[in-house]
Amino acid sequence: MHLRNLQPSLPFFIKSLDQVDPAISRSVRSEEGRQQDQIELIAPKNYLSVASRQAVASMMAFTSVEGYPGRRYHAGVGNIDEIERIAIARARAMFNAGHANVQPHSGTQANQAIYFALLQLGDTVLSMELSAGGHLSHGQKSNLSGKWFKTVFYRTDTAGLIDYEDMQEQALQHRPKLIIVGGSSYPRTIEFEKVASIAKSVGAKVLADVAHFSGLIVGGQYSHPFPHVDIITTTTNKNLRGPRGGLILSRDADLGKLIDSAVFPGIQGGPLPEMITAKAVCFGEALDSEFSEYARHVLANARTIAAGLQKRGYEIVTGGTDTPLVMIDLRAKRVTGDIAQEALEAAGLTCNRNLVPYDPEKPNITSGLRIGTSAITTRGMKTEEADIIAGLLSDVLDKVVSGARGADASTPETLIAVKELSRSFPIYPH
Ligand SMILES: *Cc1c(COP(=O)(O)O)cnc(C)c1O
């Protein structure tokens, strides 16, 4: 046999993005510039290590599998089997878990799998409302979890803290099968032991959705949900500093079978092998002792920003934070979250408007802002820079409070300071 085909069959196949698709290429480059030049304070955002980025862009992306290592439905799976086994072992080690599933495409999928594994249609779930700090996938009306299951919400008090007495009362009254704690804008420690004893009194299981502080748990900066809760879900792309995706952990191995079959074939088909590969890499990074330093700085930076804003007269929900989240309550300042967000973006300080507890505004307006420190900490910023950022945020917000809108809320000094800060802390140093 003599075959010779050294040319690709499709000439476009080996051209660069620039050459093939200038419009998309331009936007990608512009986004690279935006990320480098702005101070990213959006709580879920973070950057991948070069190693994890290589994993995401690797040829693992072209592997197609279904099922679990050793029980796949396709041939050619030896490498992904080995990678997924490593990812699972590292995930279990990170959280001291009896079982781990690394396949959920996202945090919402991870939560959906738990609903599918533990509940029947119409069963009752006790969770925290979105405005109190919960998440859409915890039974919000607009989400499948809220449409197909009955949700009752426990209260947070006027300071924004979980009212455990209310949780107990609601549990006794409604007899939920599942209690969910954790959320997207709850900035404080959750008393997992208390929640577990409430759940026990009514025979419910407990799910801790730790998406916004999983990195702090692994880094030893936040109390560990195990052994108190039954299940942990998290995204891997927030302060675990990994690729976009979800992760499920259970304390006891015997729940693992239910969880695995709920993920596949329950709610997903094949997983994303390149994401599992990058998860394995980032879990390895999170198990390294350096990661607890990162977690420590994430928390210190959040507390520094909270204190700096307070000093300038801004109200912080719950008066501080035990997480990477700083929730600013703007009600006393008589400005809304949407307007503040727009002005801060024009200054190069990106964050998002967010409901605060008992918010009178709609979710697209809001009375608050949410700040997160995972991304700036990855860039190497420490409390000195966090303090500068608190000052810059206050400078812009002060202008907004006195009537300035959009770009008019930034002075030349603010813009220069943002530029200097972002130039001094490149995302990927050369
Ligand atoms: C971010 C987040 C999720 C998952 O979000 P996805 O966008 O689906 O990955 C789930 N729960 C909480 C509490 C979150 O903060």
Side-chain angles (χ1 to χ4, degrees), residues 44 105-109 111 133-135 137-138 182-185 209-212 233 235 237-238 244-245 370:
H105 299 332
S106 78
T108 297
Q109 258 65 61
N111 290 338
H135 188 262
S137 60
H138 299 180
S184 290
S185 53
D209 178 351
V210 303
H212 272 285
T233 55
T235 52
N237 49 295
K238 291 171 185 169
R244 191 162 295 283
R370 183 180 66 164

Side-chain angles (χ1 to χ4, degrees), residues 60-311:
M60 295 311 298
F62 315 136
T63 311
S64 201
V65 293
E66 277 180 339
Y68 292 98
R71 293 175 281 140
R72 304 284 195 194
Y73 291 80
H74 298 128
V77 296
N79 298 313
I80 182 62
D81 273 10
E82 182 167 333
I83 289 168
E84 187 167 346
R85 283 196 178 103
I86 292 172
I88 290 168
R90 288 178 183 169
R92 288 185 55 193
M94 279 195 305
F95 287 93
N96 198 15
H99 182 81
N101 186 306
V102 299
Q103 293 196 357
H105 299 332
S106 78
T108 297
Q109 258 65 61
N111 290 338
Q112 212 172 81
I114 301 311
Y115 273 72
F116 197 70
L118 300 183
L119 306 175
Q120 300 296 320
L121 210 59
D123 275 351
T124 300
V125 175
L126 178 57
S127 79
M128 184 162 57
E129 204 151 14
L130 197 63
S131 63
H135 188 262
L136 280 171
S137 60
H138 299 180
Q140 210 58 38
K141 270 274 165 284
S142 53
N143 187 266
L144 180 147
S145 59
K147 282 214 163 79
W148 292 1
F149 300 89
K150 181 169 175 238
T151 314
V152 283
F153 295 109
Y154 50 85
R155 261 206 312 261
T156 50
D157 61 22
T158 47
L161 297 167
I162 293 173
D163 181 344
Y164 293 95
E165 273 176 33
D166 185 58
M167 188 189 285
Q168 175 73 76
E169 276 171 30
Q170 304 248 26
L172 288 171
Q173 190 184 336
H174 298 285
R175 299 263 151 188
K177 284 244 185 84
L178 179 68
I179 300 179
I180 305 180
V181 288
S184 290
S185 53
Y186 189 76
R188 289 300 194 173
T189 300
I190 294 164
E191 298 185 41
F192 297 115
E193 203 170 347
K194 239 183 220 173
V195 179
S197 94
I198 292 168
K200 201 167 166 211
S201 73
V202 295
K205 292 243 184 308
V206 181
L207 163 63
D209 178 351
V210 303
H212 272 285
F213 46 87
S214 47
L216 264 51
I217 293 170
V218 175
Q221 303 298 314
Y222 193 98
S223 57
H224 207 301
F226 289 153
H228 309 299
V229 312
D230 302 282
I231 298 166
I232 294 176
T233 55
T234 182
T235 52
T236 47
N237 49 295
K238 291 171 185 169
N239 41 62
L240 267 184
R241 211 165 50 184
R244 191 162 295 283
L247 169 65
I248 302 173
L249 304 134
S250 66
R251 180 190 55 211
D252 305 324
D254 57 7
L255 260 183
K257 257 201 167 130
L258 269 179
I259 291 169
D260 283 352
S261 55
V263 174
F264 172 86
I267 63 155
Q268 288 188 178
L272 310 169
E274 73 278 32
M275 296 306 186
I276 292 176
T277 308
K279 283 173 188 174
V281 175
C282 97
F283 296 166
E285 291 166 357
L287 283 167
D288 191 279
S289 58
E290 255 179 59
F291 190 79
S292 47
E293 276 301 286
Y294 169 70
R296 204 168 59 74
H297 289 302
V298 167
L299 181 58
N301 285 345
R303 287 186 166 151
T304 301
I305 290 179
L309 285 161
Q310 278 171 324
K311 225 168 22 191

Side-chain angles (χ1 to χ4, degrees), residues 226-397:
F226 289 153
H228 309 299
V229 312
D230 302 282
I231 298 166
I232 294 176
T233 55
T234 182
T235 52
T236 47
N237 49 295
K238 291 171 185 169
N239 41 62
L240 267 184
R241 211 165 50 184
R244 191 162 295 283
L247 169 65
I248 302 173
L249 304 134
S250 66
R251 180 190 55 211
D252 305 324
D254 57 7
L255 260 183
K257 257 201 167 130
L258 269 179
I259 291 169
D260 283 352
S261 55
V263 174
F264 172 86
I267 63 155
Q268 288 188 178
L272 310 169
E274 73 278 32
M275 296 306 186
I276 292 176
T277 308
K279 283 173 188 174
V281 175
C282 97
F283 296 166
E285 291 166 357
L287 283 167
D288 191 279
S289 58
E290 255 179 59
F291 190 79
S292 47
E293 276 301 286
Y294 169 70
R296 204 168 59 74
H297 289 302
V298 167
L299 181 58
N301 285 345
R303 287 186 166 151
T304 301
I305 290 179
L309 285 161
Q310 278 171 324
K311 225 168 22 191
R312 294 278 298 263
Y314 288 92
E315 196 173 314
I316 303 301
V317 177
T318 76
T321 184
D322 303 319
T323 66
L325 303 174
V326 179
M327 300 297 305
I328 310 173
D329 184 344
L330 295 166
R331 282 176 297 187
K333 299 287 187 184
R334 304 194 159 279
V335 293
T336 51
D338 56 338
I339 286 167
Q341 173 192 313
E342 193 188 359
L344 288 167
E345 182 177 12
L349 300 157
T350 41
C351 62
N352 70 281
R353 62 184 179 277
N354 212 101
L355 293 170
V356 294
Y358 300 97
D359 201 323
E361 301 289 347
K362 294 206 174 79
N364 60 336
I365 306 287
T366 81
S367 302
L369 288 171
R370 183 180 66 164
I371 303 283
T373 52
S374 301
I376 60 162
T377 310
T378 296
R379 285 174 85 155
M381 295 186 198
K382 303 220 163 57
T383 50
E384 190 182 332
E385 289 78 29
D387 196 44
I388 294 171
I389 289 170
L392 293 169
L393 289 167
S394 306
D395 291 345
V396 175
L397 289 174

